[in-house]
PDB file of all heavy atoms in Angstrom:
ATOM      1  N   ALA A  63      25.594  19.046  -4.347  1.00 97.00           N
ATOM      2  CA  ALA A  63      24.282  19.138  -3.635  1.00 97.00           C
ATOM      3  C   ALA A  63      24.560  19.167  -2.242  1.00 97.00           C
ATOM      4  O   ALA A  63      23.878  19.875  -1.561  1.00 97.00           O
ATOM      5  CB  ALA A  63      23.463  18.023  -4.271  1.00 97.00           C
ATOM      6  N   GLN A  64      25.384  18.246  -1.807  1.00 97.00           N
ATOM      7  CA  GLN A  64      25.670  18.298  -0.309  1.00 97.00           C
ATOM      8  C   GLN A  64      26.325  19.574   0.263  1.00 97.00           C
ATOM      9  O   GLN A  64      25.731  20.161   1.201  1.00 97.00           O
ATOM     10  CB  GLN A  64      26.546  17.027   0.020  1.00 97.00           C
ATOM     11  CG  GLN A  64      27.003  16.987   1.449  1.00 97.00           C
ATOM     12  CD  GLN A  64      25.752  16.577   2.431  1.00 97.00           C
ATOM     13  OE1 GLN A  64      24.909  15.768   1.959  1.00 97.00           O
ATOM     14  NE2 GLN A  64      25.732  16.951   3.664  1.00 97.00           N
ATOM     15  N   GLN A  65      27.247  20.094  -0.391  1.00 97.00           N
ATOM     16  CA  GLN A  65      27.957  21.244  -0.036  1.00 97.00           C
ATOM     17  C   GLN A  65      27.038  22.541  -0.061  1.00 97.00           C
ATOM     18  O   GLN A  65      27.078  23.489   0.800  1.00 97.00           O
ATOM     19  CB  GLN A  65      29.145  21.564  -0.892  1.00 97.00           C
ATOM     20  CG  GLN A  65      30.325  20.665  -0.710  1.00 97.00           C
ATOM     21  CD  GLN A  65      31.352  20.967  -1.818  1.00 97.00           C
ATOM     22  OE1 GLN A  65      31.450  21.889  -2.427  1.00 97.00           O
ATOM     23  NE2 GLN A  65      32.138  19.857  -2.045  1.00 97.00           N
ATOM     24  N   THR A  66      26.099  22.561  -0.991  1.00 98.00           N
ATOM     25  CA  THR A  66      25.136  23.633  -1.044  1.00 98.00           C
ATOM     26  C   THR A  66      23.801  23.456  -0.308  1.00 98.00           C
ATOM     27  O   THR A  66      22.955  24.352  -0.457  1.00 98.00           O
ATOM     28  CB  THR A  66      25.030  24.043  -2.609  1.00 98.00           C
ATOM     29  OG1 THR A  66      24.341  22.938  -3.169  1.00 98.00           O
ATOM     30  CG2 THR A  66      26.258  24.381  -3.249  1.00 98.00           C
ATOM     31  N   SER A  67      23.594  22.418   0.169  1.00 97.00           N
ATOM     32  CA  SER A  67      22.420  21.964   0.797  1.00 97.00           C
ATOM     33  C   SER A  67      21.219  22.042  -0.175  1.00 97.00           C
ATOM     34  O   SER A  67      20.077  22.380   0.264  1.00 97.00           O
ATOM     35  CB  SER A  67      22.079  22.953   1.995  1.00 97.00           C
ATOM     36  OG  SER A  67      23.048  22.736   2.924  1.00 97.00           O
ATOM     37  N   LEU A  68      21.454  21.809  -1.386  1.00 97.00           N
ATOM     38  CA  LEU A  68      20.407  21.739  -2.384  1.00 97.00           C
ATOM     39  C   LEU A  68      19.237  20.936  -2.180  1.00 97.00           C
ATOM     40  O   LEU A  68      18.033  21.330  -2.144  1.00 97.00           O
ATOM     41  CB  LEU A  68      20.977  21.540  -3.817  1.00 97.00           C
ATOM     42  CG  LEU A  68      19.980  21.520  -5.072  1.00 97.00           C
ATOM     43  CD1 LEU A  68      19.396  22.814  -5.194  1.00 97.00           C
ATOM     44  CD2 LEU A  68      20.702  21.166  -6.300  1.00 97.00           C
ATOM     45  N   GLY A  69      19.459  19.659  -1.854  1.00 95.00           N
ATOM     46  CA  GLY A  69      18.472  18.714  -1.635  1.00 95.00           C
ATOM     47  C   GLY A  69      17.624  19.031  -0.328  1.00 95.00           C
ATOM     48  O   GLY A  69      16.383  19.046  -0.378  1.00 95.00           O
ATOM     49  N   LYS A  70      18.385  19.555   0.703  1.00 97.00           N
ATOM     50  CA  LYS A  70      17.769  19.870   1.922  1.00 97.00           C
ATOM     51  C   LYS A  70      16.868  21.143   1.708  1.00 97.00           C
ATOM     52  O   LYS A  70      15.733  21.096   2.126  1.00 97.00           O
ATOM     53  CB  LYS A  70      18.709  20.134   2.952  1.00 97.00           C
ATOM     54  CG  LYS A  70      18.267  20.697   4.329  1.00 97.00           C
ATOM     55  CD  LYS A  70      19.413  20.972   5.328  1.00 97.00           C
ATOM     56  CE  LYS A  70      18.837  21.615   6.592  1.00 97.00           C
ATOM     57  NZ  LYS A  70      20.119  21.999   7.374  1.00 97.00           N
ATOM     58  N   ASN A  71      17.457  22.121   0.928  1.00 97.00           N
ATOM     59  CA  ASN A  71      16.492  23.357   0.823  1.00 97.00           C
ATOM     60  C   ASN A  71      15.336  22.897  -0.170  1.00 97.00           C
ATOM     61  O   ASN A  71      14.131  23.495   0.156  1.00 97.00           O
ATOM     62  CB  ASN A  71      17.454  24.411   0.120  1.00 97.00           C
ATOM     63  CG  ASN A  71      18.433  24.959   1.126  1.00 97.00           C
ATOM     64  OD1 ASN A  71      18.326  24.824   2.381  1.00 97.00           O
ATOM     65  ND2 ASN A  71      19.464  25.598   0.636  1.00 97.00           N
ATOM     66  N   ALA A  72      15.589  22.284  -1.105  1.00 96.00           N
ATOM     67  CA  ALA A  72      14.427  21.848  -1.969  1.00 96.00           C
ATOM     68  C   ALA A  72      13.305  21.107  -1.292  1.00 96.00           C
ATOM     69  O   ALA A  72      12.131  21.368  -1.415  1.00 96.00           O
ATOM     70  CB  ALA A  72      14.908  21.028  -3.139  1.00 96.00           C
ATOM     71  N   ARG A  73      13.650  20.221  -0.410  1.00 96.00           N
ATOM     72  CA  ARG A  73      12.767  19.488   0.399  1.00 96.00           C
ATOM     73  C   ARG A  73      11.945  20.330   1.352  1.00 96.00           C
ATOM     74  O   ARG A  73      10.714  20.299   1.547  1.00 96.00           O
ATOM     75  CB  ARG A  73      13.399  18.328   1.135  1.00 96.00           C
ATOM     76  CG  ARG A  73      13.615  17.111   0.191  1.00 96.00           C
ATOM     77  CD  ARG A  73      14.136  15.834   1.144  1.00 96.00           C
ATOM     78  NE  ARG A  73      15.436  16.128   1.838  1.00 96.00           N
ATOM     79  CZ  ARG A  73      16.631  16.205   1.253  1.00 96.00           C
ATOM     80  NH1 ARG A  73      16.857  15.933   0.041  1.00 96.00           N
ATOM     81  NH2 ARG A  73      17.716  16.403   2.102  1.00 96.00           N
ATOM     82  N   ALA A  74      12.734  21.260   1.997  1.00 98.00           N
ATOM     83  CA  ALA A  74      12.133  22.214   2.932  1.00 98.00           C
ATOM     84  C   ALA A  74      11.021  23.112   2.108  1.00 98.00           C
ATOM     85  O   ALA A  74       9.940  23.316   2.650  1.00 98.00           O
ATOM     86  CB  ALA A  74      13.094  23.105   3.663  1.00 98.00           C
ATOM     87  N   LEU A  75      11.524  23.601   0.993  1.00 97.00           N
ATOM     88  CA  LEU A  75      10.500  24.492   0.190  1.00 97.00           C
ATOM     89  C   LEU A  75       9.251  23.631  -0.247  1.00 97.00           C
ATOM     90  O   LEU A  75       8.202  24.264  -0.289  1.00 97.00           O
ATOM     91  CB  LEU A  75      11.224  25.062  -1.046  1.00 97.00           C
ATOM     92  CG  LEU A  75      12.271  26.054  -0.561  1.00 97.00           C
ATOM     93  CD1 LEU A  75      13.102  26.516  -1.792  1.00 97.00           C
ATOM     94  CD2 LEU A  75      11.595  27.394  -0.119  1.00 97.00           C
ATOM     95  N   GLU A  76       9.447  22.379  -0.573  1.00 95.00           N
ATOM     96  CA  GLU A  76       8.389  21.657  -1.080  1.00 95.00           C
ATOM     97  C   GLU A  76       7.436  21.397   0.033  1.00 95.00           C
ATOM     98  O   GLU A  76       6.181  21.594  -0.179  1.00 95.00           O
ATOM     99  CB  GLU A  76       8.872  20.260  -1.560  1.00 95.00           C
ATOM    100  CG  GLU A  76       7.647  19.549  -2.094  1.00 95.00           C
ATOM    101  CD  GLU A  76       8.034  18.230  -2.767  1.00 95.00           C
ATOM    102  OE1 GLU A  76       9.252  17.680  -2.551  1.00 95.00           O
ATOM    103  OE2 GLU A  76       7.222  17.615  -3.478  1.00 95.00           O
ATOM    104  N   THR A  77       7.960  21.213   1.193  1.00 95.00           N
ATOM    105  CA  THR A  77       7.019  20.971   2.430  1.00 95.00           C
ATOM    106  C   THR A  77       6.294  22.191   2.656  1.00 95.00           C
ATOM    107  O   THR A  77       5.026  22.217   2.831  1.00 95.00           O
ATOM    108  CB  THR A  77       7.889  20.632   3.655  1.00 95.00           C
ATOM    109  OG1 THR A  77       8.493  19.300   3.340  1.00 95.00           O
ATOM    110  CG2 THR A  77       7.017  20.447   5.019  1.00 95.00           C
ATOM    111  N   GLU A  78       6.916  23.387   2.688  1.00 96.00           N
ATOM    112  CA  GLU A  78       6.397  24.651   2.849  1.00 96.00           C
ATOM    113  C   GLU A  78       5.273  24.950   1.875  1.00 96.00           C
ATOM    114  O   GLU A  78       4.214  25.343   2.393  1.00 96.00           O
ATOM    115  CB  GLU A  78       7.430  25.716   2.827  1.00 96.00           C
ATOM    116  CG  GLU A  78       6.880  27.266   2.986  1.00 96.00           C
ATOM    117  CD  GLU A  78       8.040  28.214   2.796  1.00 96.00           C
ATOM    118  OE1 GLU A  78       9.196  27.978   3.132  1.00 96.00           O
ATOM    119  OE2 GLU A  78       7.645  29.397   2.347  1.00 96.00           O
ATOM    120  N   TYR A  79       5.499  24.895   0.652  1.00 95.00           N
ATOM    121  CA  TYR A  79       4.574  25.195  -0.417  1.00 95.00           C
ATOM    122  C   TYR A  79       3.480  24.162  -0.478  1.00 95.00           C
ATOM    123  O   TYR A  79       2.323  24.454  -0.670  1.00 95.00           O
ATOM    124  CB  TYR A  79       5.258  25.363  -1.782  1.00 95.00           C
ATOM    125  CG  TYR A  79       5.948  26.671  -2.009  1.00 95.00           C
ATOM    126  CD1 TYR A  79       7.373  26.858  -1.620  1.00 95.00           C
ATOM    127  CD2 TYR A  79       5.300  27.830  -2.449  1.00 95.00           C
ATOM    128  CE1 TYR A  79       7.928  28.024  -1.803  1.00 95.00           C
ATOM    129  CE2 TYR A  79       5.851  29.015  -2.501  1.00 95.00           C
ATOM    130  CZ  TYR A  79       7.235  29.162  -2.297  1.00 95.00           C
ATOM    131  OH  TYR A  79       7.779  30.380  -2.375  1.00 95.00           O
ATOM    132  N   ARG A  80       3.762  22.901  -0.246  1.00 91.00           N
ATOM    133  CA  ARG A  80       2.761  21.868  -0.331  1.00 91.00           C
ATOM    134  C   ARG A  80       1.801  22.044   0.784  1.00 91.00           C
ATOM    135  O   ARG A  80       0.551  21.997   0.732  1.00 91.00           O
ATOM    136  CB  ARG A  80       3.352  20.376  -0.285  1.00 91.00           C
ATOM    137  CG  ARG A  80       2.321  19.382  -0.295  1.00 91.00           C
ATOM    138  CD  ARG A  80       2.988  18.024  -0.252  1.00 91.00           C
ATOM    139  NE  ARG A  80       3.651  17.836   1.125  1.00 91.00           N
ATOM    140  CZ  ARG A  80       4.897  17.450   1.240  1.00 91.00           C
ATOM    141  NH1 ARG A  80       5.642  17.217   0.238  1.00 91.00           N
ATOM    142  NH2 ARG A  80       5.305  17.435   2.471  1.00 91.00           N
ATOM    143  N   ASP A  81       2.387  22.424   1.999  1.00 92.00           N
ATOM    144  CA  ASP A  81       1.443  22.695   3.228  1.00 92.00           C
ATOM    145  C   ASP A  81       0.468  23.850   2.977  1.00 92.00           C
ATOM    146  O   ASP A  81      -0.559  23.913   3.422  1.00 92.00           O
ATOM    147  CB  ASP A  81       2.267  22.855   4.469  1.00 92.00           C
ATOM    148  CG  ASP A  81       2.998  21.534   4.897  1.00 92.00           C
ATOM    149  OD1 ASP A  81       2.606  20.534   4.401  1.00 92.00           O
ATOM    150  OD2 ASP A  81       3.763  21.678   5.818  1.00 92.00           O
ATOM    151  N   LYS A  82       1.002  24.924   2.223  1.00 94.00           N
ATOM    152  CA  LYS A  82       0.257  26.167   1.904  1.00 94.00           C
ATOM    153  C   LYS A  82      -0.915  25.668   0.961  1.00 94.00           C
ATOM    154  O   LYS A  82      -1.932  26.093   1.264  1.00 94.00           O
ATOM    155  CB  LYS A  82       1.104  27.194   1.198  1.00 94.00           C
ATOM    156  CG  LYS A  82       0.300  28.452   1.050  1.00 94.00           C
ATOM    157  CD  LYS A  82       1.070  29.542   0.254  1.00 94.00           C
ATOM    158  CE  LYS A  82       0.247  30.826   0.086  1.00 94.00           C
ATOM    159  NZ  LYS A  82      -1.228  30.761  -0.057  1.00 94.00           N
ATOM    160  N   VAL A  83      -0.578  24.911   0.076  1.00 92.00           N
ATOM    161  CA  VAL A  83      -1.611  24.446  -0.921  1.00 92.00           C
ATOM    162  C   VAL A  83      -2.772  23.587  -0.102  1.00 92.00           C
ATOM    163  O   VAL A  83      -3.927  23.799  -0.357  1.00 92.00           O
ATOM    164  CB  VAL A  83      -1.144  23.626  -2.077  1.00 92.00           C
ATOM    165  CG1 VAL A  83      -2.131  22.929  -2.828  1.00 92.00           C
ATOM    166  CG2 VAL A  83      -0.331  24.645  -3.060  1.00 92.00           C
ATOM    167  N   ALA A  84      -2.156  22.883   0.849  1.00 87.00           N
ATOM    168  CA  ALA A  84      -3.198  22.032   1.649  1.00 87.00           C
ATOM    169  C   ALA A  84      -4.069  22.908   2.408  1.00 87.00           C
ATOM    170  O   ALA A  84      -5.207  22.564   2.498  1.00 87.00           O
ATOM    171  CB  ALA A  84      -2.421  21.116   2.486  1.00 87.00           C
ATOM    172  N   ARG A  85      -3.483  24.037   3.028  1.00 91.00           N
ATOM    173  CA  ARG A  85      -4.295  24.950   3.718  1.00 91.00           C
ATOM    174  C   ARG A  85      -5.342  25.625   2.824  1.00 91.00           C
ATOM    175  O   ARG A  85      -6.528  25.816   3.194  1.00 91.00           O
ATOM    176  CB  ARG A  85      -3.423  25.921   4.414  1.00 91.00           C
ATOM    177  CG  ARG A  85      -2.727  25.365   5.680  1.00 91.00           C
ATOM    178  CD  ARG A  85      -2.114  26.445   6.525  1.00 91.00           C
ATOM    179  NE  ARG A  85      -1.106  27.321   5.649  1.00 91.00           N
ATOM    180  CZ  ARG A  85       0.115  27.183   5.531  1.00 91.00           C
ATOM    181  NH1 ARG A  85       0.608  26.004   6.015  1.00 91.00           N
ATOM    182  NH2 ARG A  85       0.837  27.920   4.784  1.00 91.00           N
ATOM    183  N   ASP A  86      -4.779  26.062   1.705  1.00 91.00           N
ATOM    184  CA  ASP A  86      -5.561  26.707   0.662  1.00 91.00           C
ATOM    185  C   ASP A  86      -6.873  25.824   0.286  1.00 91.00           C
ATOM    186  O   ASP A  86      -7.934  26.292  -0.081  1.00 91.00           O
ATOM    187  CB  ASP A  86      -4.938  27.172  -0.659  1.00 91.00           C
ATOM    188  CG  ASP A  86      -3.869  28.339  -0.229  1.00 91.00           C
ATOM    189  OD1 ASP A  86      -4.041  28.929   0.874  1.00 91.00           O
ATOM    190  OD2 ASP A  86      -3.064  28.532  -1.040  1.00 91.00           O
ATOM    191  N   TYR A  87      -6.575  24.515   0.224  1.00 89.00           N
ATOM    192  CA  TYR A  87      -7.630  23.588  -0.308  1.00 89.00           C
ATOM    193  C   TYR A  87      -8.136  22.647   0.915  1.00 89.00           C
ATOM    194  O   TYR A  87      -8.465  21.362   0.649  1.00 89.00           O
ATOM    195  CB  TYR A  87      -7.122  22.772  -1.455  1.00 89.00           C
ATOM    196  CG  TYR A  87      -6.944  23.519  -2.725  1.00 89.00           C
ATOM    197  CD1 TYR A  87      -5.735  24.171  -2.998  1.00 89.00           C
ATOM    198  CD2 TYR A  87      -7.904  23.731  -3.621  1.00 89.00           C
ATOM    199  CE1 TYR A  87      -5.573  25.099  -4.095  1.00 89.00           C
ATOM    200  CE2 TYR A  87      -7.837  24.579  -4.844  1.00 89.00           C
ATOM    201  CZ  TYR A  87      -6.597  25.134  -5.053  1.00 89.00           C
ATOM    202  OH  TYR A  87      -6.441  25.907  -6.168  1.00 89.00           O
TER     203      TYR A  87
END
């Protein structure tokens, strides 16, 4: 997970998509 930045990427995507839903609603 560290070598591939899996956690970092997943957290960044969650923030991006959550923020979009927040804007939509």
Side-chain angles (χ1 to χ4, degrees):
Q64 179 71 31
Q65 289 174 22
T66 61
S67 299
L68 179 60
K70 179 182 174 185
N71 290 342
R73 284 187 300 278
L75 287 169
E76 181 174 17
T77 298
E78 176 185 325
Y79 280 94
R80 187 183 59 236
D81 290 351
K82 182 181 181 332
V83 167
R85 285 189 306 273
D86 291 347
Y87 291 90

